[in-house]
Amino acid sequence: MTRTILITGASRGIGRAAAILCGRRGWSVGVNYAGNEQAAMATVTAVEEAGGKSIAIQGDVAIEADVIRMFEATEKAFGPITGVVNNAGIVAPGMKLADMTAERFTRMFAVNVTGAYLVARETARRMGTDRGGKGGSLVNLSSAAARLGSPNEYVDYAGSKGAIDSMTIGLSKELAPVGIRVNAIRPGLIDTDIHASGGAPDRAFRLASMVPLARPGTADEVANAILWLLSDESAYVTGALLDVSGGR
Ligand code: NAP
């Protein structure tokens, strides 16, 4: 059965890998991105080559009007959305909390918390059977940082992901009666561009010795878990926080 899925931050990394796996199932995917149009267009092409349909939608998840527009554009192109991957997220350079600026906190929480909550709210408004939706699955990208705390590095980021865990638990109960399952994935060290954006491109490999499976994970390995949570194969799973972290 064909499905319409919206993935935030799907131009690169984990979101891109999930979009391509959706394409392999013949699903239609709204590929949101922040600024890298070239990467977003490459994802669209890859989804189409995999057998799905796709459009790219620029938008900042921290801006309410952009979030509404990305849902509208996806539904206009492909019909009612039945799956959302709340994936867009940022880190910032590693440092102690004592050295962080208020501007850094503002942006971190605007994207990772307010952005994710706006995407979750639109999902509830559009997919809830109480509001004319068809029900479906919301998959939130948390992080192992939510339970590790990321001392000396990303205590702000870790807290932003803690909020995602709490939202997942509450919203899974709130939306179960209206046909929406809500789960979170907590990736560990995954080899994507996110580490370079925090100023440490080799971070996933440098810290690999702390991982029981002794290596970083790949975006595809996280995407496989996302696809399982989107699909009916996980029909009895809601409110789960699924670690995809090599045992860390
Ligand atoms: P990534 O490679 O850095 O890619 C980030 C994606 O998010 C890009 O597509 C980027 O778009 C988009 N994006 C950034 N800010 C945005 C905004 N304000 N609005 C809309 N889109 C935005 O990241 P990733 O490693 O795949 O991470 C994906 C998710 O997994 C994040 O929530 C992250 O916190 C979480 N996670 C990652 C790891 C890891 O080790 N990689 C571990 C735990 C959790 P542009 O291409 O346009 O910039």
Side-chain angles (χ1 to χ4, degrees):
M1 191 184 71
T2 189
R3 293 197 178 184
T4 299
I5 311 291
L6 172 62
I7 307 178
T8 64
S11 45
R12 293 182 287 126
I14 292 166
R16 171 187 161 85
I20 295 169
L21 290 187
C22 289
R24 271 195 213 151
R25 295 199 180 205
W27 296 351
S28 301
V29 190
V31 168
N32 159 249
Y33 67 102
N36 195 333
E37 185 180 5
Q38 204 179 352
M41 293 317 298
T43 301
V44 166
T45 302
V47 172
E48 289 171 348
E49 284 174 358
K53 294 182 186 161
S54 187
I55 55 165
I57 313 143
Q58 192 283 327
D60 181 345
V61 293
I63 298 174
E64 182 178 22
D66 285 13
V67 172
I68 292 169
R69 190 167 45 75
M70 60 185 86
F71 277 79
E72 284 174 351
T74 303
E75 292 194 331
K76 190 170 172 216
F78 305 124
I81 292 171
T82 55
V84 173
V85 185
N86 207 348
N87 169 75
I90 57 169
V91 295
M95 63 181 72
K96 290 184 188 293
L97 183 75
D99 295 320
M100 293 179 190
T101 62
E103 290 73 24
R104 170 181 167 131
F105 296 152
T106 300
R107 185 63 185 158
M108 182 68 65
F109 294 122
V111 174
N112 289 8
V113 182
T114 302
Y117 270 71
L118 286 169
V119 169
R121 188 197 69 185
E122 281 317 295
T123 301
R125 286 183 175 178
R126 286 158 193 271
M127 286 191 344
T129 53
D130 58 334
R131 293 167 185 252
K134 292 172 174 281
S137 171
L138 170 64
V139 182
N140 296 321
L141 268 290
S142 172
S143 171
R147 57 182 164 72
L148 296 170
S150 308
N152 305 310
E153 228 186 349
Y154 301 140
V155 164
D156 56 342
Y157 171 82
S160 76
K161 294 302 186 177
I164 300 303
D165 285 5
S166 298
M167 184 254 275
T168 300
I169 293 164
L171 204 56
S172 66
K173 294 171 181 162
E174 195 168 301
L175 296 181
V178 299
I180 304 174
R181 295 184 297 110
V182 184
N183 294 287
I185 293 178
R186 296 195 292 203
L189 289 166
I190 310 299
D191 180 23
T192 72
D193 294 348
I194 203 168
H195 308 290
S197 67
D202 64 339
R203 181 173 173 271
F205 288 90
R206 183 167 38 85
L207 300 180
S209 61
M210 299 164 69
V211 180
L213 288 183
R215 63 170 178 85
T218 66
D220 277 336
E221 287 171 321
V222 181
N224 281 327
I226 293 172
L227 264 284
W228 179 68
L229 288 172
L230 283 175
S231 77
D232 293 342
E233 290 155 32
S234 61
Y236 198 54
V237 181
T238 196
L241 308 175
L242 175 59
D243 289 318
V244 181
S245 58
R248 181 164 176 246

